[in-house]
């Protein structure tokens, strides 16, 4: 017994170290991907969709609060990859860790479910996990960089807004996708793979046309999003939203299609409005559809149980303690003789 306990005590630090390293690696990789598409607002370069915040919150929701050192470590590696870190790196690490941790604490406080099977879960992720909690990270990061003299203090609000929206978009678009992948237990059936391939083929053609066309046809994405939500709920809608957001971000970075001939601020506003409405539509629509599906299933199960109870009662409809009519008849005959 002592040997088993000793092995368990040795295994826990190893598991914790591996988990921390895995979280840090995912955070760093997501951050590097996000930095590939940057926009400039008032001289400051920011990421329209910062996927590291979504990765950080998903890790916290799946593994618990104990994985926060991995977030800090990943943020440190990311800062280190951009140059020699200075004293302001402490504030950046604090902001990048505090935002997701605040989101996790607020979501747990309201009983958030990682399955996103209720409308209240979708609303909580939007307003608490993205909009409210990312105020913390964006404020700490921007104030830190301005105090260090790396950002112009006269343009605080445009820079802060761009930073906050980028962090919020990372939560809205990346976190649901990762939660769906974690909750998935089995792939779609063979019969549904045909529709999956059809949806993927249409998305591969329609989304680039909508985002890169000079006709500014971004609205063409929404019918595709509705189709994905109706047929595949959260998994389909959020994957389509992620693909459309990445494609639109690339178009905005290159200044083509719907984002051509716009000023940097106009590009940022148009892209973030599109990403925000896309994520909100996908998340809330799929949550409503899933909630209605679960309600119908609960009603069907209740009706089935009620039918079984009624069948059981009709099979034993004779009152207890009373003999059947055919058994009572001979007693009446014996009483008359």
């Amino acid at each position: 017994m002592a040997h088993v306990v000793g092995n368990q005590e040795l295994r826990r630090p190893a598991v914790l170290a591996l988990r921390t390293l895995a979280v840090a690696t995912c955070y760093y990789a997501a951050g590097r991907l996000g930095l590939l598409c940057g926009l400039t607002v008032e001289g400051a370069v920011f990421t329209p969709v910062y996927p590291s915040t979504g990765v950080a919150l998903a890790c916290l929701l799946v593994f618990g609060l104990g994985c926060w050192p991995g977030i800090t470590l990943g943020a440190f590696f990311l800062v280190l990859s951009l140059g020699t870190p200075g004293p302001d790196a402490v504030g950046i690490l604090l902001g990048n860790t505090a935002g997701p941790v605040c989101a996790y604490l607020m979501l747990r406080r309201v009983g958030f479910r990682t399955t996103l099977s209720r409308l209240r879960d979708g609303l909580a992720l939007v307003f608490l996990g993205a909009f409210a909690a990312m105020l913390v990270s964006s404020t700490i990061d921007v104030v830190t960089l301005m105090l260090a003299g790396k950002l112009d203090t006269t343009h605080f609000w445009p820079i802060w807004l761009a930073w906050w929206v980028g962090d919020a978009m990372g939560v809205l678009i990346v976190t649901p996708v990762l939660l769906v992948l974690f909750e998935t237990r089995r792939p779609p059936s063979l019969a549904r793979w045909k529709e999956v391939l059809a949806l993927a083929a249409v998305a591969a053609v329609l989304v680039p046309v909508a985002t890169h066309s000079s006709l500014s046809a971004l609205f063409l994405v929404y019918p595709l999003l509705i189709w994905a939500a109706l047929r595949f709920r959260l998994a389909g809608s959020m994957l389509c939203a992620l693909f459309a957001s990445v494609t639109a971000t690339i178009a905005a970075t290159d200044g083509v299609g719907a984002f051509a001939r716009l000023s940097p601020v106009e590009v940022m506003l148009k892209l973030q409005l599109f990403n925000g409405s896309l994520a909100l539509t996908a998340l809330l629509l799929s949550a409503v559809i899933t909630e209605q599906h679960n309600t119908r299933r609960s009603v069907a199960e209740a009706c089935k149980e009620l039918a079984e109870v009624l069948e059981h009662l009709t099979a034993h409809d004779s009152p207890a303690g009373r003999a059947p009519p055919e058994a009572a008849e001979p007693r009446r005959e014996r009483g008359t003789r």
Side-chain angles (χ1 to χ4, degrees), residues 49 173-174 177 225 236-248 278:
V49 178
I173 295 175
V174 177
V177 173
L225 200 67
S237 63
M238 290 312 306
L239 287 175
C240 282
L242 177 62
F243 177 61
S245 177
V246 171
T247 308
L278 194 71

Side-chain angles (χ1 to χ4, degrees), residues 139-226:
T139 301
I140 294 176
D141 291 346
V142 173
V143 170
T144 298
L145 292 175
M146 286 188 173
L147 291 177
K150 296 183 177 181
L151 293 178
D152 188 358
T153 56
T154 59
H155 299 111
F156 173 81
W157 290 112
I159 296 174
W160 175 86
L161 180 62
W163 203 292
W164 171 67
V165 174
D167 288 349
M169 290 303 105
V171 172
L172 288 181
I173 295 175
V174 177
T175 299
V177 173
L178 296 179
L179 293 179
V180 166
L181 295 177
F182 177 77
E183 295 291 338
T184 300
R185 294 294 180 265
R186 56 182 180 179
S189 61
L190 185 60
R192 302 202 67 184
W193 270 111
K194 295 181 179 179
E195 189 173 3
V196 171
L197 295 176
L199 178 63
V202 173
V205 175
L206 182 62
V207 172
V209 170
T211 54
H212 287 72
S213 173
S214 59
L215 298 176
S216 187
L218 294 176
F219 57 88
L220 292 176
V221 175
Y222 289 95
L224 179 69
L225 200 67
I226 295 172

